[in-house]
Amino acid sequence: MDKSFGRIDAFPRERLARTPTPIDALPRLSEKLGGPEIHMKRDDCSGLAMGGNKARLLEFYFGQARKKKADTVLITGSVQSNYACMAAAAARRMGMACHIQLEERVPDVDAVYRTSGNVLLGKLFGATIHTYPDGEDEEGADNRLHEIAEDLRKKGASPYVIPLGPDNPPLGALGYVLAAREICRQIDDANLRIDETILTSGSGLTHIGLLFGLRALGRDMRVTGVCVRRPAAVQARRLIDLAGRLSDMLGLPPLVGAGDIHLTDAVLAPGYGQHNDDVLDAVRLIARTEGILVDPVYTGRLVAGMVRRLAGDDRPPDGLMMLHTGGLPILFAYQALIEETER
Ligand SMILES: Cc1ncc(COP(=O)(O)O)c(C=O)c1O
């Protein structure tokens, strides 16, 4: 048994993601941007609801929910949360009910934002929807979820809360620790040269999971996070803390140091989920060169962050891979913005 990932087998897991997801070459985008060779790991094809990274994260939360004999899962996120929507889909697949709490995180949104995209899909999955007024209060949002869970328990349900705040064990990151092995196998088998993976860094679970998994396998591939929630300095502290928690959970020595953390907040402005011209340009660029869809909140910021990185002095070496983490339903919630900025 390979012990690179320490005690990972002790954590119960429910299969939700269809893996391995493909790694595709993006020759037209690479040419358009003047090299290097760009690849994309297609976790938007993970097969749960409309796909995305959250399928891998949820495998470990649902593993624990099943172990605890839960019949209801609770989760919190922004109004257009992919995580909440995919959790609702996963709950249905496992015969459970789902409560999703939608937080006000984006100012000045329109009616379509509040009803389309993931909100619509959450309803389709029959999730019970709650609201929370503050999108920047992770602890408060988690506490509110626990209160709802308590009410449900009193009514005879067996609830399980998927927490958001960084003070909880980063169970979801284990999904990307495992994905590191999948990626290494794929690039080795296909003899690809990938020196760097670039991904969005929100809660940080995907970012730290992949980075930790790569280091556990002895790989020195650079992982660059494009900040979508908070400035790079704040996100870096969060990631270091999460890495320490992962080491403790898996019984492994510290594997990720400050030198391993690479972040850019170049396309974060003016804030989470808000209009940024570079991001909309990137959404169109990849649609029109490769026929690939990305969203304005997460993966559009990934492409925009990569374009900025290629344009800067600190150009990456040969062999860059974007991790497409999904988010497709959000595109529809931003219909007005996409139409207004059409050019
Ligand atoms: C489509 C998409 N990509 C990326 C992320 C960021 O992943 P993480 O929260 O693990 O940093 C999210 C998080 O909500 C997401 O929905």
Side-chain angles (χ1 to χ4, degrees):
M1 181 61 97
D2 176 5
K3 284 284 159 208
S4 307
F5 298 153
R7 288 195 291 258
I8 200 160
D9 292 339
F11 293 89
R13 176 182 175 206
E14 286 290 330
R15 293 298 184 111
L16 296 170
R18 187 163 295 147
T19 57
T21 56
I23 295 180
D24 291 337
L26 306 184
R28 290 175 195 282
L29 183 67
S30 310
E31 194 188 333
K32 181 98 183 169
L33 296 174
E37 204 175 4
I38 301 167
H39 283 82
M40 180 173 260
K41 171 74 171 162
R42 301 295 305 268
D43 274 11
D44 56 322
C45 302
S46 64
L48 182 66
M50 290 178 79
N53 58 333
K54 302 300 184 179
R56 293 187 196 261
L57 269 56
L58 288 168
E59 291 193 340
F60 285 90
Y61 293 109
F62 274 89
Q64 210 170 65
R66 173 82 92 197
K67 188 173 168 203
K68 294 190 170 190
K69 302 196 181 337
D71 56 18
T72 308
V73 163
L74 295 91
I75 190 164
T76 189
S78 61
V79 170
Q80 280 295 335
S81 170
N82 298 297
Y83 206 10
C85 171
M86 291 177 77
R92 288 320 192 187
R93 205 192 268 190
M94 297 198 40
M96 298 178 184
C98 188
H99 285 242
I100 63 187
Q101 175 175 268
L102 304 184
E103 308 160 16
E104 293 297 332
R105 205 178 286 168
V106 184
D108 304 326
V109 292
D110 62 13
V112 174
Y113 179 90
R114 292 192 177 285
T115 49
S116 171
N118 281 313
V119 179
L120 178 68
L121 300 188
K123 285 186 181 155
L124 208 53
F125 291 127
T128 305
I129 297 180
H130 306 262
T131 54
Y132 192 74
D134 186 347
E136 294 304 331
D137 174 17
E138 290 180 306
E139 202 185 325
D142 278 344
N143 289 341
R144 181 71 196 116
L145 271 195
H146 284 288
E147 286 167 17
I148 300 168
E150 203 37 54
D151 284 348
L152 291 170
R153 201 169 283 118
K154 283 183 194 145
K155 290 178 187 148
S158 175
Y160 175 81
V161 171
I162 299 175
L164 177 67
D167 294 337
N168 298 284
L171 261 189
L174 299 180
Y176 273 90
V177 172
L178 292 180
R181 181 183 283 141
E182 177 182 314
I183 289 171
C184 290
R185 283 197 181 132
Q186 285 177 305
I187 61 182
D188 291 350
D189 288 352
N191 218 358
L192 294 178
R193 174 151 180 216
I194 308 282
D195 302 308
E196 172 173 342
T197 294
I198 182 162
L199 42 67
T200 53
S201 204
S203 72
L205 293 182
T206 303
H207 185 165
I208 204 60
L210 182 62
L211 178 59
F212 191 97
L214 288 168
R215 295 300 178 267
L217 293 169
R219 303 285 182 127
D220 64 357
M221 184 194 294
R222 171 175 161 144
V223 178
T224 301
V226 179
C227 295
V228 295
R229 269 303 293 279
R230 48 191 80 75
V234 181
Q235 185 72 353
R237 286 195 291 278
R238 185 178 177 111
L239 292 169
I240 290 288
D241 182 61
L242 288 173
R245 287 172 196 271
L246 268 181
S247 288
D248 293 346
M249 277 165 64
L250 296 175
L252 292 171
L255 293 176
V256 172
D260 291 304
I261 306 289
H262 300 278
L263 287 160
T264 169
D265 49 17
V267 293
L268 175 62
Y272 174 85
Q274 296 182 53
H275 175 176
N276 177 308
D277 276 332
D278 286 353
V279 173
L280 287 165
D281 286 347
V283 170
R284 292 192 177 90
L285 173 70
I286 192 160
R288 292 171 190 185
T289 51
E290 295 288 351
I292 289 176
L293 299 171
V294 294
D295 74 88
V297 182
Y298 295 101
T299 42
R301 279 187 152 81
L302 162 68
V303 180
M306 187 203 59
V307 170
R308 281 282 189 102
R309 188 155 153 60
L310 291 182
D313 299 334
D314 179 29
R315 254 180 95 85
D318 288 340
L320 186 66
M321 182 169 80
M322 286 189 279
L323 176 64
H324 192 326
T325 46
L328 302 189
I330 306 185
L331 256 180
F332 300 98
Y334 282 81
Q335 180 174 346
L337 183 61
I338 293 168
E339 282 177 354
E340 278 160 23
T341 56
E342 182 56 55
R343 52 184 163 261

